[in-house]
């Protein structure tokens, strides 16, 4: 069984999605960690939230400073009632409520050397440079991991010092590469050939491997890690195999991941010789200037007793002078850095540095919390050592449009931190926005929190609508910030709306529990979208994203989109007529299944075996029960139903039993027979049909690549996977028949030793002769006497119900039949359950990036160069942002106008409504288009290929009359537009005309 079952202390249901990111060892280390967090403004609150949600052992909060108005723009644990109270004391209880398994304490005194010795990690936020240097020196001395995190307006800073010899157990977090073996030669060196060519690319950077499941050359199975070398022909050298047995078949080669050691300098040294995390030389140069800007801001504060005033040009010039006077930075080799100071950048930082913004706190708080996780778990590569993140692109590019000091001065309100950056005028514009958020999961909760803090839709004319059809589950609570234990079972949209209102009572959030899809366009229709200024999508499938995007294109609404998987995250922005539209690259392949014949008889990949096992579950424990119940209720003989599939289904339900099971032993006998059918007898039948030496008509061997020659397994009670299959299958069979099961593996093992293997004649056959059909009929008559069967609906999240045990065991045995490297229990659950690994830090980071783009959308009009797509790999410190492409311009040589994917042809219906002929004439006169075909959906309204009589008949009709004639759709009174598609004379294959919006 998988290692997740061995832990008694870990709440596996709560952390189920996070465990797929971290793994059990890292999660257990996190649960035992003690962290000190100093500074509870917006950034500190985000770090605290993420650590507690993820399940850190204990978190000590330190911030004796009183709450002020400017805190409330980003600190969601505080409210107007906390003004004047200590930030730490006011925040403690709300922080603790996020996860009662985490000990949340307060330290009210100074940070001393003795205090630091009690922690593994210390994080400073909103601290002055002198304190950073003092605490950093002590932490480095005592090998306590040390972080500094800070945000100033639209710029953020993060520093890590994990000591001089910090071991990273797993630098990437990716599962070890594994590949199926085609052949291994005897020799020095031995040459290994992989079965799949696609695997060759993955193994190019691998230097150590081990082996498993090999037949013949068994000396390699479980061997010490061996070095490999890629050859020009794509084979792998694996060392001397001369004395080993001859390779026969099967087996897998698996990467051995090696720990890495990193060395960090203490803050006092790293301050003058900074190592920057950046994706390009240009980013390094910008980061160095931002580094100097932060040093100058600290110096300004020390000299003046306050930070620069918002958008004060005099203060900004002083900061630039201080930055210019700093000693030059040095490279890691001690030589001076030659990059000039970007004084314009430093000045902009100083002008906008007085504010505190929720999206910046969310983004930097997520990355900082991820670094804490790295420090305590040894999982993922830590930052080396400075990260600077800036979103100054949120400011207008035109200097004339930049805020002024008067507009940015404090108002004594909860938005003062945001007003200090963007001004009161922009704040008013934010409050009047009306936005739709699709999805109230992990990212959606973070976005709603951000909306509340930003004041999005807080005016009487504004508002936010959140749409989500799902209900809250316990596994949501480790990353979906707005939900608590008492909310389990309630609709996400409703709970999220209530929680958002508690964060900011001025923000009106309307929950909708209807899905946003083609079935609900009567709800999310013309009237609904006419009241929306923009859409934010935080959904977890390409299909859902694609549909939301099509709605935004149709209604010309800005779309902000975010997604995540594990430590990978993305945030994108799509603006009408400015950027390209959303393209769902994964739509076609997302739910693609392998061909039935591949799954049933010729699997080559582990996903094929899992799909087969999942189908087995459905057929054995759901469909069969539903079928028998249906015929019991209808009082019809079961065998009256025709079709070999149905008869085979009934055969396997009976199995080796000739009567309905009455005891646990009966269920075990059936399960043993099913094991024999699937993994021994069924494989023998297949090989009789397609013998190993079978040759096709073209002379090629039937069992040649990509087909894998299977072999029957022999049942062995000492094999854990054999036992698990019978245990799970027997329990499920018992559940289906309303009988008691058993979890006693030793007793089952002893029972199986005494049971004979079933007679093949009682196992299922693809074809039944009349005598066999008569026997089946008699058995089913006996079977039907009794209460209805209980169909089992597959449930992946209950590890005690044997559902996943059955699927994992069945798939593993199937893989053994075909020599395919099997998936372990955890991998099987993730693949079969289509579970997306998730963690709070990634959700926060992408939500912060979306919030930054939202500032730009609200501040429209903005040029294309202002917007950013973003992609994050938090495990590997990859932070990429780029300007999105502009929409492609299309032309049509017959006319002089151009268009993009955002354009449409608008034609009013008129009063009285125009005819179809009038519509076609209008298109020719206004646009020069001679229409060949006109469609509404898939229905033809007009075609030049029709006979003159049919054309004349249709052309005389009004457009809506013609639509009702060929489609079941009747335009509703509130419907404003009919969307039509046209094909025109002279068009090329690559021509896509804009949709025709027929305005009713």
């Amino acid at each position: 069984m998988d290692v997740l079952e061995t832990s008694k202390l870990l709440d596996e249901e709560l952390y189920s999605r996070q465990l797929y990111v971290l793994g059990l060892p890292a999660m257990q280390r996190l649960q035992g960690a003690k962290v000190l967090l100093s500074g509870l403004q917006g950034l500190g609150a985000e770090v605290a939230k993420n650590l507690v949600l993820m399940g850190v052992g204990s978190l000590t909060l330190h911030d004796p400073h009183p709450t002020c108005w400017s805190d409330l723009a980003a600190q969601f644990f505080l409210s107007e009632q906390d003004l004047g109270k200590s930030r730490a004391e006011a925040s403690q209880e709300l922080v603790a409520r996020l996860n009662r398994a985490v000990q949340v304490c307060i330290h009210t005194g100074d940070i001393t050397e003795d205090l630091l010795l009690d922690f593994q990690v210390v994080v400073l936020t909103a601290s002055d440079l002198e304190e950073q240097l003092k605490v950093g020196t002590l932490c480095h001395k005592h090998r306590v991991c040390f972080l500094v995190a800070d945000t100033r307006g639209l710029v953020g800073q993060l520093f890590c010092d994990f000591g001089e010899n910090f071991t990273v157990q797993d630098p990437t977090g990716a599962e070890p590469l594994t590949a199926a073996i085609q052949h291994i030669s005897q020799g020095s060196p031995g040459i290994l050939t992989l079965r799949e060519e696609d695997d060759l690319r993955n193994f190019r950077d691998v230097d150590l491997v081990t082996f498993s499941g090999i037949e013949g050359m068994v000396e390699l199975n479980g061997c010490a890690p061996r070095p490999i070398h890629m050859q020009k022909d794509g084979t792998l050298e694996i060392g001397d195999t001369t004395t080993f047995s001859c390779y026969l078949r099967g087996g897998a080669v698996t990467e051995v991941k090696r720990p890495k050691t990193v060395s960090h300098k203490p803050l006092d040294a790293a301050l003058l010789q900074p190592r920057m995390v950046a994706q390009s030389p240009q980013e390094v140069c910008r980061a160095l200037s931002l580094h100097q800007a932060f040093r100058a801001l600290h110096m300004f504060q020390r000299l003046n007793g306050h930070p620069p005033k918002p958008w004060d040009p005099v203060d900004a010039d002083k900061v630039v002078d201080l930055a210019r006077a700093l000693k030059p930075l040095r490279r890691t080799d001690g030589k001076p850095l030659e990059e000039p100071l970007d004084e314009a950048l430093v000045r902009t930082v100083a002008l906008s540095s007085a504010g505190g913004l929720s999206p910046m706190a969310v983004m930097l708080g997520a990355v900082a919390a991820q670094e804490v996780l790295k420090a305590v778990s040894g999982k993922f590569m830590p930052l080396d050592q400075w990260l600077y993140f800036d979103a100054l692109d949120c400011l207008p590019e035109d200097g004339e449009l930049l805020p002024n000091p008067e507009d940015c001065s404090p108002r004594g309100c909860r938005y003062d931190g945001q007003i200090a950056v963007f001004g009161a005028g922009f704040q008013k514009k934010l409050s009047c926005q009306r936005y739709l958020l699709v999805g109230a999961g992990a990212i959606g909760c973070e976005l709603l929190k951000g909306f509340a803090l930003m004041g999005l839709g807080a005016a009487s004319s504004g508002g936010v609508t959140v749409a989500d059809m799902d209900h809250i589950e316990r596994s949501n609570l480790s990353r979906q910030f707005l939900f608590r234990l008492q909310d389990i079972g309630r609709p996400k949209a409703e709970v999220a709306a209530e929680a958002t209102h508690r964060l900011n009572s001025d923000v009106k959030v309307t929950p909708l529990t209807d899905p946003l899809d083609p079935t609900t366009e009567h709800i999310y229709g013309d009237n609904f979208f006419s009241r929306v200024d923009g859409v934010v999508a935080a959904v977890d499938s390409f299909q859902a994203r694609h549909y939301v995007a099509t709605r935004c294109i149709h209604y010309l609404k800005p779309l902000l989109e975010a997604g995540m998987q594990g430590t990978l995250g993305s945030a994108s922005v799509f603006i009408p007529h400015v950027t390209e539209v959303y393209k769902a690259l994964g739509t076609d392949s997302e739910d693609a299944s392998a061909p039935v014949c591949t799954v049933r008889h010729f699997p080559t990949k582990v996903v094929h075996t899992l799909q087969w096992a999942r189908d087995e579950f459905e057929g054995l424990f759901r469909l069969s029960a539903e079928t028998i119940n249906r015929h019991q209720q209808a009082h019809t003989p079961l065998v009256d139903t025709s079709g070999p599939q149905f008869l085979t289904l009934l055969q396997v339900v009976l199995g080796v039993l000739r009567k309905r099971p009455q005891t646990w032993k009966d269920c075990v006998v059936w399960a043993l027979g099913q094991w024999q059918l699937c993994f021994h007898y069924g494989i023998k039948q297949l090989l009789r049909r397609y013998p190993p030496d079978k040759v096709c008509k073209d002379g090629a061997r039937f069992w040649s690549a990509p087909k894998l020659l299977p072999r029957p397994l022999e049942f062995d009670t000492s094999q854990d996977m054999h036992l698990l299959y019978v245990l799970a299958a027997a329990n499920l069979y018992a559940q289906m028949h309303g009988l008691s099961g058993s979890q006693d593996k030793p007793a089952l093992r002893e029972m199986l030793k005494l049971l004979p293997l079933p007679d093949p004649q009682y196992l299922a056959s693809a074809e039944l002769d009349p005598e066999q059909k008569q026997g089946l009929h008699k058995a089913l008559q006996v079977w039907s006497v009794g209460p209805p069967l209980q169909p089992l609906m597959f449930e992946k999240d209950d590890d005690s119900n044997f559902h996943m045990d059955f699927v994992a065991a069945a798939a593993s045995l199937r893989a053994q039949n075909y020599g395919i490297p099997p998936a372990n229990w955890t991998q099987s659950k993730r693949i079969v359950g289509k579970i997306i690994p998730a963690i709070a830090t990634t959700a926060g980071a992408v939500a912060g990036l979306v919030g930054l783009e939202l500032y730009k959308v609200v501040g429209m009009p903005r040029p294309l160069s202002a917007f950013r797509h973003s992609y994050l790999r938090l495990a590997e410190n990859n932070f990429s942002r780029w300007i999105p492409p502009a929409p492609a311009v299309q032309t049509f040589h017959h006319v002089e106008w151009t268009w993009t994917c955002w354009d449409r042809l608008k034609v009013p219906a008129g009063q009285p409504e125009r005819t179809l002929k009038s519509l076609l004439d209008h298109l020719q006169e206004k646009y020069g288009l001679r229409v060949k075909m006109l469609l509404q959906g898939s229905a033809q309204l007009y075609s030049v290929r029709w006979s003159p009589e049919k054309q004349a008949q249709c052309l005389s009709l009004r457009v809506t009359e013609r639509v009702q004639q060929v489609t079941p759709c009747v335009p509703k009174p509130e419907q404003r537009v009919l969307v039509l598609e046209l094909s025109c004379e002279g068009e090329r294959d690559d021509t896509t005309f804009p949709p025709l919006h027929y305005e009713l």
Side-chain angles (χ1 to χ4, degrees), residues 371-385:
E371 294 307 302
V372 173
L373 187 153
K374 295 175 184 179
V376 300
S377 70
K379 183 114 175 178
F380 311 132
M381 187 62 69
L383 289 172
D384 188 30
Q385 286 184 263

Side-chain angles (χ1 to χ4, degrees), residues 276-583:
M276 298 294 180
V277 174
Q279 313 305 316
S280 68
Q282 292 79 13
E283 287 188 21
V284 172
C285 292
R286 187 175 181 88
L288 291 171
S289 289
L290 293 174
H291 185 76
Q292 297 296 70
F294 267 81
R295 292 178 67 195
L297 287 171
H298 279 295
M299 189 174 296
F300 183 98
Q301 173 94 24
R302 183 167 57 82
L303 293 174
N304 297 278
H306 63 81
K309 293 184 286 295
W311 293 95
D312 186 305
V314 176
D315 283 357
D317 288 340
K318 291 179 180 178
V319 173
V320 174
D321 290 340
L322 291 170
R324 195 186 295 126
L326 291 170
K327 291 182 179 180
L329 300 173
R330 294 186 175 274
R331 301 188 316 202
T332 53
D333 60 6
K335 296 181 181 179
L337 281 167
E338 299 178 356
E339 285 77 3
L341 180 70
D342 187 338
E343 296 186 5
L345 175 61
V346 174
R347 190 173 194 276
T348 303
V349 171
L351 287 167
S352 57
S353 65
L357 303 174
S358 171
M360 288 297 297
V362 173
M363 169 62 188
L364 266 293
V367 180
Q370 187 76 22
E371 294 307 302
V372 173
L373 187 153
K374 295 175 184 179
V376 300
S377 70
K379 183 114 175 178
F380 311 132
M381 187 62 69
L383 289 172
D384 188 30
Q385 286 184 263
W386 292 94
L387 172 70
Y388 284 92
F389 175 83
D390 81 89
L392 294 169
D393 40 70
C394 291
L395 298 172
E397 294 183 358
D398 186 348
E400 297 295 323
L401 300 176
L402 290 172
N404 59 67
E406 293 75 20
D407 196 36
C408 297
S409 60
R411 264 61 175 173
C413 73
R414 64 174 301 132
Y415 308 116
D416 275 356
Q418 193 163 257
I419 289 171
V421 178
F422 295 110
F426 181 81
Q427 186 62 48
K428 183 177 181 181
K429 194 172 183 181
L430 260 177
S431 68
C432 296
Q433 295 295 300
R434 298 165 299 178
Y435 260 74
L436 167 65
L437 171 63
V438 187
I443 299 173
C445 285
E446 291 289 340
L447 288 166
L448 283 170
K449 167 170 64 70
F451 294 167
L453 295 172
M454 295 162 67
L456 183 74
S460 58
S461 59
V464 174
T465 300
V466 56
D468 195 309
M469 62 182 290
D470 289 340
H471 290 69
I472 298 167
E473 301 174 0
R474 196 161 189 275
S475 62
N476 300 148
L477 304 185
S478 67
R479 64 196 182 281
Q480 299 182 12
F481 160 75
L482 298 179
F483 307 145
R484 301 292 181 269
L485 196 62
Q486 65 269 21
D487 299 322
I488 292 173
R490 293 188 61 198
K492 286 185 176 181
E494 293 180 5
V495 177
E498 294 168 4
T500 306
H501 185 72
R502 287 195 295 271
L503 290 175
N504 184 346
S505 59
D506 291 333
V507 174
K508 297 172 292 297
V509 183
T510 303
L512 294 178
T513 56
D514 302 285
L516 188 67
D517 61 28
T519 68
T520 56
E521 291 185 1
H522 62 289
I523 299 173
Y524 305 99
D526 294 347
N527 288 340
F528 178 86
F529 275 97
S530 69
R531 300 190 297 269
V532 168
D533 294 311
V535 178
V536 183
V539 293
D540 57 6
S541 76
F542 287 115
Q543 182 180 9
R545 291 176 193 171
H546 179 69
Y547 180 76
V548 173
T550 59
R551 294 284 84 193
C552 290
I553 296 170
H554 176 77
Y555 291 108
L556 294 179
K557 301 298 180 182
L559 171 64
L560 296 161
E561 187 271 330
M564 69 170 180
Q565 180 171 334
T567 59
L568 309 180
S570 65
S572 304
V573 55
F574 305 96
I575 307 298
H577 304 295
V578 177
T579 72
E580 64 178 355
V581 296
Y582 174 83
K583 296 177 182 177

Side-chain angles (χ1 to χ4, degrees), residues 657 659-667 737 739-740 782 785:
L657 302 178
K659 62 179 182 178
R660 190 178 178 121
Q662 302 296 318
T663 65
W664 165 244
K665 183 177 179 181
D666 290 343
C667 297
H737 290 88
L739 301 174
S740 299
V782 176
V785 178

